[in-house]
Amino acid sequence: MTKYHPLRQLFLARLRTFYREPDAMFWTYGFPLILTVGLGIAFRNRPPEKIVIDIADSPRAVEVKTALDADERFKVNICGTDECADRLRLGKTTIIVELGEEYAYRYDPTRPESHLAHISLDDALQKLAGRADAIDTKNVEITEPGARYIDFLVPGLLGMNLLGGGLWGVGFVITDMRVKKLLRRLLATPMSKSHFLLSLVGGRLVFMIPEILVLLGAGWLIFDMPIRGSVFAIVVLCLIGAISFAGIGLLVASRADKIETIAGLTNLVMLPMWLFSGIFFSHDRFPEAFQPFILALPLTQLNDALRAVILEGQSLFEQGVPILVISTWGAVAFALSLKWFRWT
Amino acid sequence: MDQPMSAVVICKDLRKRYDSKKKGVDALNGLNLEIREGECFGLLGPNGAGKTTTVEILEGLIRPTSGHVEVLSRQWNGRDDTAIRQRIGISLQETRLKDKLTVFETLVLFRSFYDVGRDPEVVLEMVQLQEKRNSWVVKLSGGQRQRLAVACALVGDPELLFLDEPTTGLDPQSRRDLWEIIRDQQTRSRTTVLTTHYMDEAERLCDRVAVVDHGKVIALGTPSELIAKLGGDHIIEFDLAAGEGAAPDIESLSGLPEVSTARVGSDGYLLTVTKPHIALPALIAQLESQNHELARLSTRHVSLEDVFVTLTGRHLDDDEVSPA
């Protein structure tokens, strides 16, 4: 009777109900992709903005403007004294220079961009007047892939997606089936309960593969993100994360008998991790006193481990602590759900 | 009960109390049943009588507060549950299946849970859903979903089939198709437990029926036995035109020849009679002598509905009034 093997049929049913649900497909694959591309473009590394400088109209204004225009750091305007003052007040320019016997700079030193403009403009005008550099310098510019925001972001989004997948793909699905009394109908058959749970976790692991491909693929193809560690190590970390988060999903769904309840519990679990676990910015920015709590969260450990492998090329063996923390969460969640789970 | 037929279901002194914050509700008050192998057994009663509670206890879906339950010589104790479920088929009163699985995929899924069972293609034909084979469940009409729910109950080829209100919402043709399925169970000596609102259905299909009210069995027997208890095969229903004169009293009506019982119904008088050709002329003669004018008169066979009304004073489709 292999034709009707229950685990296989339950697993097929899970796959079918997933890929036939456009909403589930979008939130699992489309939304993270849009988030990656959107944030990657919004926070891409741009050349420094030009410094806007106004020269108060005077006989030498055009000559000085031509000289400054050659320097690509500056955007230079010439205007009347009153108009220049208005522009400074409205923030349209950062500094005004009046070219008299001595040069007069008008600016607000408490505005950082005006402060920068003052130093840069004075330096440029002094050089034009013939000042020589006392020592030779050279600049080494660093904008290599791997140190940009997008490189930081993609592993974090991958971790976030695995968390969401466990909570929605297991917790929400179970609660929905309980609310619609489908769980009760299945319970009325000789179906093995472990087959049922295995099919849900198995489904999560299969849906995880395109999640990894979509996110890392977008980072790699669109943003030239480096993947320095082994793909095997990344997949193993994602696997451990996905199983643990499936356990947490099962735990929050063990008693929930209303959609509102599961939605609330899911947010309760996800929000702290979205905030503290270093998805969009490093968790090091939180005060030292918070760190033990933050480091105890499974998503923090998963994100840190993914970044260490993807961006720093660390091996799986160096991720012992993260793997231990994530697995402990998973094991405790599965154990508690077996104790608390209600089918009807 | 002395017959040597083996019982597939035995309930003794079954009680179920639902506790809510203010007061508890007793859904079952010491219900006793014995269902025999190969029969179609009907549970009749108004909403809230305890039919569904009884069936769901027998199906192992809820636990009774107290009492003894035996299904296929086993008990719901956790150890034997899967063994019982391998041999029973269930159609719940309201079954929601996965919206985005097709009819056939749903049947194959349910088939996979049973060690032995029917070919899903055959079951599809039994419930006349071949044309909907590849439709998603969400696209089915109410009647088609009901038939799929019954198909899910049949796919394990159950020895004991539970159908809770299976024909509610079905069109006449689908109802007749379902009756065929139940008769097929009977000819194969398989047992069916049926709850229904439709008396004609119970009379046609059931070998025996139990009338349930306030969580107890108040009458048990074959449909013809129960009807015979009313003391007549026929009912004369009549109503009088509004007019002069005192209303005829029940006692004088029940004293008419061949009339076994008389009562006042919601829209007129009802007499249970053995021989209408003798009772009718006597009735008309009496009404004429009292100057009453008939507004309407009809005769029909006694039904299970009459049995129920006589026993409880209520109609089967009345909603439950608070237990006395």
Side-chain angles (χ1 to χ4, degrees):
Chain A
M1 275 297 160
T2 46
K3 187 178 164 191
Y4 302 120
H5 192 277
L7 184 55
R8 185 165 156 248
Q9 290 302 330
L10 281 165
F11 182 65
L12 281 175
R14 180 69 197 109
L15 293 191
R16 285 167 178 148
T17 46
F18 178 72
Y19 72 73
R20 287 173 188 170
E21 200 64 70
D23 291 14
M25 293 290 280
F26 172 75
W27 292 110
T28 311
Y29 303 125
F31 181 66
L33 183 65
I34 292 171
L35 212 56
T36 308
V37 173
L39 288 172
I41 290 170
F43 291 99
R44 73 185 184 278
N45 293 13
R46 276 171 296 195
E49 281 188 30
K50 292 201 172 193
I51 299 168
V52 183
I53 290 163
D54 281 12
I55 302 176
D57 205 1
S58 69
R60 290 187 55 224
V62 178
E63 179 200 335
V64 172
K65 176 176 160 46
T66 315
L68 286 176
D69 277 343
D71 188 331
E72 62 184 20
R73 289 179 297 166
F74 299 120
K75 184 174 185 307
V76 185
N77 294 305
I78 299 172
C79 45
T81 316
D82 288 348
E83 196 195 340
C84 283
D86 281 346
R87 282 168 53 81
L88 182 65
R89 203 175 59 246
L90 294 172
K92 288 180 179 170
T93 187
T94 52
I95 192 163
I96 306 166
V97 57
E98 290 165 0
L99 308 170
E101 197 61 23
E102 52 175 24
Y103 291 178
Y105 300 120
R106 290 179 181 280
Y107 71 105
D108 177 355
T110 64
R111 280 169 58 190
E113 66 275 24
S114 294
H115 185 64
L116 177 67
H118 173 235
I119 295 167
S120 309
L121 178 62
D122 187 46
D123 180 53
L125 290 174
Q126 296 287 0
K127 272 187 188 164
L128 278 178
R131 188 179 74 182
D133 287 334
I135 39 173
D136 290 335
T137 59
K138 74 172 180 182
N139 300 330
V140 181
E141 296 186 348
I142 299 168
T143 53
E144 67 177 309
R148 304 160 307 171
Y149 182 65
I150 185 71
D151 305 314
F152 177 85
L153 183 68
V154 168
L157 287 179
L158 185 55
M160 181 183 90
N161 220 34
L162 292 172
L163 173 69
L167 284 164
W168 294 112
V170 176
F172 187 83
V173 166
I174 287 179
T175 309
D176 188 50
M177 288 175 78
R178 188 184 285 123
V179 170
K180 291 177 178 163
K181 300 205 171 147
L182 197 62
L183 223 46
R184 185 181 167 85
R185 181 63 190 91
L186 290 177
L187 187 70
T189 71
M191 177 191 77
S192 146
K193 291 169 189 174
S194 43
H195 281 167
F196 175 75
L197 294 179
L198 273 175
S199 73
L200 283 177
V201 177
R204 265 307 299 150
L205 300 187
V206 170
F207 307 149
M208 178 194 85
I209 296 166
E211 282 174 45
I212 302 176
L213 289 177
V214 162
L215 276 168
L216 293 185
W220 184 58
L221 288 174
I222 304 174
F223 298 108
D224 201 21
M225 189 185 94
I227 297 175
R228 299 207 171 95
S230 76
V231 172
F232 174 75
I234 298 169
V235 170
V236 169
L237 284 175
C238 289
L239 204 67
I240 295 171
I243 293 176
S244 289
F245 293 144
I248 294 174
L250 190 62
L251 179 61
V252 295
S254 49
R255 290 285 174 99
D257 54 4
K258 283 198 283 285
I259 291 297
E260 290 83 353
T261 311
I262 193 67
L265 286 174
T266 297
N267 283 329
L268 187 70
V269 172
M270 292 210 304
L271 273 176
M273 290 203 250
W274 277 32
L275 193 61
F276 294 117
S277 288
I279 298 169
F280 300 100
F281 54 89
S282 169
H283 60 78
D284 292 337
R285 293 204 199 169
F286 287 100
E288 196 59 36
F290 282 31
Q291 293 302 325
F293 158 74
I294 293 173
L295 288 171
L297 295 172
L299 185 60
T300 314
Q301 295 295 339
L302 181 63
N303 285 347
D304 285 359
L306 283 171
R307 287 196 179 108
V309 169
I310 295 172
L311 302 179
E312 294 170 37
Q314 287 188 16
S315 76
L316 202 55
F317 298 107
E318 292 168 87
Q319 312 308 319
V321 173
I323 289 175
L324 185 72
V325 173
I326 301 165
S327 317
T328 305
W329 274 95
V332 170
F334 271 113
L336 288 177
S337 355
L338 285 181
K339 198 170 148 64
W340 287 339
F341 197 84
R342 288 282 176 273
W343 289 83
T344 51
Chain B
M1 301 266 173
D2 298 324
Q3 287 163 304
M5 235 170 180
S6 61
V8 289
V9 172
I10 298 170
C11 307
K12 284 193 187 122
D13 199 26
L14 211 54
R15 289 172 195 276
K16 178 68 185 177
R17 188 175 173 82
Y18 290 107
D19 283 314
S20 61
K21 273 177 192 151
K22 281 197 168 173
K23 54 164 192 174
V25 178
D26 289 308
L28 297 181
N29 281 309
L31 182 133
N32 296 301
L33 271 186
E34 192 175 293
I35 299 171
R36 299 166 195 157
E37 189 177 346
E39 73 178 341
C40 176
F41 190 90
L43 278 170
L44 309 183
N47 290 331
K51 299 187 305 276
T52 295
T53 304
T54 306
V55 168
E56 292 191 346
I57 288 173
L58 297 181
E59 293 166 344
L61 288 174
I62 51 180
R63 299 268 177 262
T65 309
S66 68
H68 175 78
V69 180
E70 229 175 82
V71 178
L72 297 165
S73 311
R74 290 171 192 265
Q75 292 178 35
W76 294 107
N77 54 12
R79 259 195 335 274
D80 288 354
D81 292 10
T82 308
I84 302 176
R85 293 204 162 106
Q86 282 289 353
R87 296 164 64 193
I88 65 175
I90 291 173
S91 167
L92 299 170
Q93 200 172 70
E94 191 209 343
T95 308
R96 288 274 312 257
L97 297 163
K98 291 207 181 203
D99 282 345
K100 295 196 173 170
L101 287 187
T102 68
V103 167
F104 191 69
E105 287 163 356
T106 304
L107 277 179
V108 170
L109 177 65
F110 275 83
R111 172 64 187 82
S112 77
F113 302 143
Y114 297 89
D115 293 339
V116 288
R118 291 179 163 114
D119 184 345
E121 299 281 5
V122 173
V123 177
L124 207 59
E125 206 179 306
M126 287 171 77
V127 296
Q128 307 281 322
L129 279 175
Q130 303 99 307
E131 282 174 29
K132 293 286 168 187
R133 191 181 186 280
N134 297 318
S135 300
W136 286 356
V137 170
V138 72
K139 301 259 168 74
L140 299 181
S141 72
Q144 289 164 341
R145 278 182 210 205
Q146 188 64 40
R147 282 185 276 158
L148 179 59
V150 172
C152 289
L154 291 170
V155 78
D157 197 14
E159 291 168 46
L160 174 57
L161 176 66
F162 290 98
L163 300 174
D164 197 355
E165 307 269 356
T167 52
T168 303
L170 288 193
D171 59 86
Q173 184 56 46
S174 302
R175 280 181 76 195
R176 280 191 290 274
D177 290 342
L178 192 67
W179 294 351
E180 276 312 307
I181 290 169
I182 293 169
R183 289 207 185 92
D184 177 61
Q185 283 280 110
Q186 281 169 301
T187 56
R188 299 172 65 216
S189 296
R190 304 254 152 148
T191 316
T192 305
V193 178
L194 178 76
T195 74
T196 182
H197 267 100
Y198 301 115
M199 291 307 100
D200 57 334
E201 195 164 283
E203 283 185 56
R204 268 167 210 259
L205 293 173
C206 295
D207 299 303
R208 290 194 307 147
V209 297
V211 180
V212 179
D213 195 27
H214 298 319
K216 274 184 179 168
V217 175
I218 56 171
L220 177 76
T222 65
S224 49
E225 277 169 6
L226 293 185
I227 287 165
K229 275 188 189 163
L230 284 190
D233 290 339
H234 298 267
I235 296 272
I236 298 174
E237 280 184 275
F238 68 92
D239 201 6
L240 301 172
E244 68 282 11
D249 63 299
I250 294 296
E251 267 175 45
S252 72
L253 287 174
S254 49
L256 288 168
E258 301 297 334
V259 172
S260 49
T261 61
R263 58 193 157 94
V264 181
S266 51
D267 52 353
Y269 299 82
L270 288 99
L271 308 181
T272 312
V273 304
T274 39
K275 292 176 184 161
H277 62 279
I278 297 173
L280 258 180
L283 170 68
I284 287 164
Q286 185 182 6
L287 293 176
E288 268 175 4
S289 71
Q290 294 170 347
N291 283 327
H292 288 302
E293 199 184 328
L294 274 171
R296 137 186 106 71
L297 184 144
S298 62
T299 68
R300 58 176 171 81
H301 280 281
V302 169
S303 70
L304 281 177
E305 175 89 25
D306 299 304
V307 175
F308 184 82
V309 174
T310 312
L311 287 169
T312 67
R314 284 179 289 126
H315 285 270
L316 271 166
D317 49 8
D318 278 355
D319 278 334
E320 171 84 349
V321 283
S322 58

